[in-house]
């Protein structure tokens, strides 16, 4: 796989590191691609990644060898989502796309020696950018982000958790059988 540059979030970098350790254990041919990706990546905090960078769970429009555009969500494993809507980073294409920028082209080599070119046409959705947008909206509206919201206020005679309740008796209440 050749690429001009790659930008991974700390989370995506950690996911690839775990994937590399598992692949090395089975002498998987994709392990060398993972090693290259990890060694050449610029790693940034989740809050600092640009909105046009492909991260895990991003919805991406891309084309292969200047063919028709395809739209997929880049996922950790393909079990999630409807068939054909996702692309796993465990595949050569998915791994190549992770960390690419909108407008960037990269080339990958398949196991059979065949090469293909991938162009990222658009990043339609990126979870990190979506979270930032929600936080900015909350601040603009005066809401405290990630704060707690009071949904119920206890009555005045509440007692702390773990404190045993005392028995209350009223005048008209029969105390029950006596112990005498």
């Amino acid at each position: 796989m050749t690429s001009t540059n790659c930008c991974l979030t700390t989370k995506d970098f950690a996911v690839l590191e775990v994937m590399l350790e598992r692949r090395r254990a089975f002498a998987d041919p994709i392990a060398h691609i993972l090693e290259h990706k990890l060694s050449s990546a610029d790693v940034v905090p989740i809050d600092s990644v640009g909105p046009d960078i492909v991260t895990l769970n991003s919805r991406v429009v891309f084309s292969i060898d200047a063919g028709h555009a395809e739209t997929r969500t880049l996922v950790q494993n393909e079990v999630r989502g409807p068939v054909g809507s996702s692309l796993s980073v465990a595949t050569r294409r998915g791994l190549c796309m992770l960390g690419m920028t909108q407008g960037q082209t990269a080339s990958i080599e398949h196991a059979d020696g065949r090469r293909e070119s991938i162009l990222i046409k658009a990043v339609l959705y990126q979870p990190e950018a979506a979270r930032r947008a929600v936080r900015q909206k909350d601040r603009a509206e005066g809401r405290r982000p990630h704060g707690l919201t009071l949904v119920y206020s206890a009555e005045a005679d509440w007692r702390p958790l773990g404190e045993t309740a005392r028995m209350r008796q009223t005048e008209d209440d029969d105390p029950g059988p006596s112990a005498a």
Side-chain angles (χ1 to χ4, degrees):
M1 173 175 60
T2 59
S3 177
T4 53
N5 62 353
C6 168
C7 182
L8 296 175
T9 65
T10 50
K11 177 186 167 208
D12 293 350
F13 188 87
V15 166
L16 293 185
E17 279 185 318
V18 170
M19 191 177 359
L20 175 60
E21 291 308 312
R22 290 181 181 156
R23 302 280 172 148
R24 273 187 185 149
F26 296 103
D28 191 322
I30 207 168
H32 77 279
I33 299 171
L34 278 162
E35 288 171 346
H36 175 74
K37 184 81 148 182
L38 289 168
S39 67
S40 65
D42 293 328
V43 182
V44 297
I46 291 174
D47 291 337
S48 301
V49 68
D52 59 343
I53 303 286
V54 179
T55 62
L56 274 173
N57 301 313
S58 290
R59 189 113 177 109
V60 183
V61 180
F62 64 96
S63 65
I64 305 295
D65 292 331
H68 68 282
E70 299 179 45
T71 304
R72 300 279 187 279
T73 300
L74 196 62
V75 296
Q76 193 168 344
N77 50 35
E78 286 194 63
V79 179
R80 302 174 192 161
V83 174
S85 70
S86 61
L87 179 63
S88 172
V89 292
T91 65
R92 290 175 190 264
R93 284 182 181 175
L95 183 57
C96 180
M97 283 189 233
L98 185 65
M100 287 178 66
T101 306
Q102 183 171 304
Q104 185 178 0
T105 302
S107 176
I108 59 172
E109 185 176 336
H110 289 275
D112 62 4
R114 179 177 50 91
R115 296 189 74 77
E116 67 183 19
S117 177
I118 298 176
L119 166 65
I120 303 297
K121 293 187 168 209
V123 179
L124 301 177
Y125 170 82
Q126 182 204 70
E128 294 80 7
R131 273 193 293 276
R132 277 193 303 270
V134 168
R135 282 196 305 265
Q136 287 172 351
K137 182 180 176 201
D138 285 348
R139 269 182 276 197
E141 293 175 359
R143 285 191 239 145
R144 294 180 64 197
H146 306 291
L148 299 176
T149 303
L150 180 64
V151 292
Y152 173 76
S153 183
E155 294 181 25
D157 67 340
W158 69 276
R159 60 184 183 282
L161 188 62
E163 183 179 294
T164 55
R166 294 187 195 113
M167 192 157 210
R168 288 189 264 169
Q169 185 175 353
T170 61
E171 287 181 31
D172 298 334
D173 193 9
D174 180 14
S178 71

